[in-house]
Amino acid sequence: MKYRVIGKDLIVSAIGLGCMGLSHAYGAPTEKKEAIYLINQAVDMGYTFFDTAEIYGTPSNPHQNEELVGEALKKCRDKVIIATKFDIYFDMESLAVNKPLVPDSRPEIIKKSVEDSLRRLKTDHIDLYYQHRLDLNIPIEEVAGVMSNLIKEGKISHWGLSEVNEDTIRQAYAVCPITAIQNRYSMMARWHETLFPVLEELNIGYVAFSPLANGFLSDKYDKNTKFETGTDYRSVMPQFTEKGIEQNRELLTLLREISASKNATPAQISLAWMLCKKPYIVPIPGTRKVERLKENAFSADILLTDDEVKALDKALNSIKMSDVFGGTKVITKS
């Protein structure tokens, strides 16, 4: 495994592990022992960057993922970087499969959240603490002030923002420097590339979630694939519909051709593409399979030249694609 520095001094594996799918959004949760085994296998492979959130869980156990990550990593805590997130809950009144998110970044809520996350993660500090979504009721400068105090108290080491724009980044950074943003990014979701200049100016890392477009770019799915109704978000994502798969045929053909030329897989090319674009990008694909862990890890060893990356970008600009899942709806409650 190769490693990268995000922000001023946070050293992480070039590929991180997004742990959400072990507990949330991809069907029934993985059995606990199996999930812990998978995370431990990731550590053995050289993964050092593990991502979770206080909200990744089930209706009966909303915090299951943090508990799982804490249990799995407690014996190697000093060798890994744990990132988690605060400030949102689900609108449980909604009947949607992918229930809307409701942000709550009141200082008293953040202070309770960090203590609860520390307890569930079985640690005395959080390496990277994100505001999960912007709360329009609370100025970002106020949130940044709370983060500054938590850093001084030693409860968190670094902080960041998720799914944010340039204005919010600048406003927050002015109060307390940000180490990373965590935004959606993949070959099918490139709208945040406009943030590259500000990230480079302020030396902020880009942690890319859903780097395989929720798994679609692995090329492991077809029109016959079935997803668990009610608990698997992919069942309502446009790229996985029969129409979406047909619309993305050219994209998948391109990935197959490039992966064959590099003796790699489509997933590895998808990850290598973003790794080779910028040295501060760290993708955090999720998986429930050890073989996928290995596959993803080796993507950091695939070198695409600048010309190859530019050619890929040019092709992606012209290829017709389906809509792609762009994120859970966020609602504001007064």
Side-chain angles (χ1 to χ4, degrees), residues 4-72:
R4 295 192 159 194
V5 179
I6 53 176
K8 181 181 179 181
D9 59 2
L10 189 61
I11 302 173
V12 300
S13 50
I15 303 291
L17 178 60
C19 298
M20 180 189 76
L22 296 171
S23 306
H24 176 77
Y26 287 83
T30 303
E31 194 274 327
K32 183 178 179 180
K33 288 183 179 180
E34 183 180 344
I36 289 175
Y37 173 78
L38 183 116
I39 293 173
N40 289 335
Q41 286 292 298
V43 174
D44 290 344
M45 291 177 199
Y47 284 81
T48 64
F49 192 28
F50 296 85
D51 184 86
T52 183
E54 65 176 351
I55 198 174
Y56 296 159
T58 64
S60 61
N61 186 1
H63 312 299
Q64 183 185 60
N65 203 246
E66 278 193 333
E67 294 171 353
L68 185 66
V69 170
E71 182 67 25

Side-chain angles (χ1 to χ4, degrees), residues 273-294:
W273 164 78
M274 64 175 65
L275 288 168
C276 293
K277 283 177 76 76
K278 299 292 180 180
Y280 52 81
I281 295 177
V282 178
I284 52 168
T287 186
R288 296 185 178 194
K289 299 179 179 179
V290 172
E291 56 266 32
R292 294 285 86 77
L293 277 180
K294 294 178 181 177

Side-chain angles (χ1 to χ4, degrees), residues 198-233:
V198 68
L199 299 181
E200 290 163 12
E201 175 191 340
L202 300 178
N203 191 20
I204 297 172
Y206 190 148
V207 177
F209 76 86
S210 296
L212 298 177
N214 302 98
F216 183 82
L217 296 174
S218 67
D219 194 24
K220 301 293 184 182
Y221 304 92
D222 59 31
K223 64 182 181 180
N224 298 313
T225 303
K226 303 297 181 183
F227 300 108
E228 190 171 303
T229 303
T231 59
D232 194 322
Y233 287 7

Side-chain angles (χ1 to χ4, degrees), residues 187 190 193 254 258 272-274 276-278 304-318:
M187 286 183 169
R190 298 172 60 201
E193 288 183 351
L254 173 67
I258 296 173
W273 164 78
M274 64 175 65
C276 293
K277 283 177 76 76
K278 299 292 180 180
L304 300 177
T305 66
D306 289 344
D307 287 344
E308 287 173 326
V309 171
K310 289 176 182 177
L312 254 175
D313 284 347
K314 183 177 180 180
L316 293 172
N317 288 337
S318 61

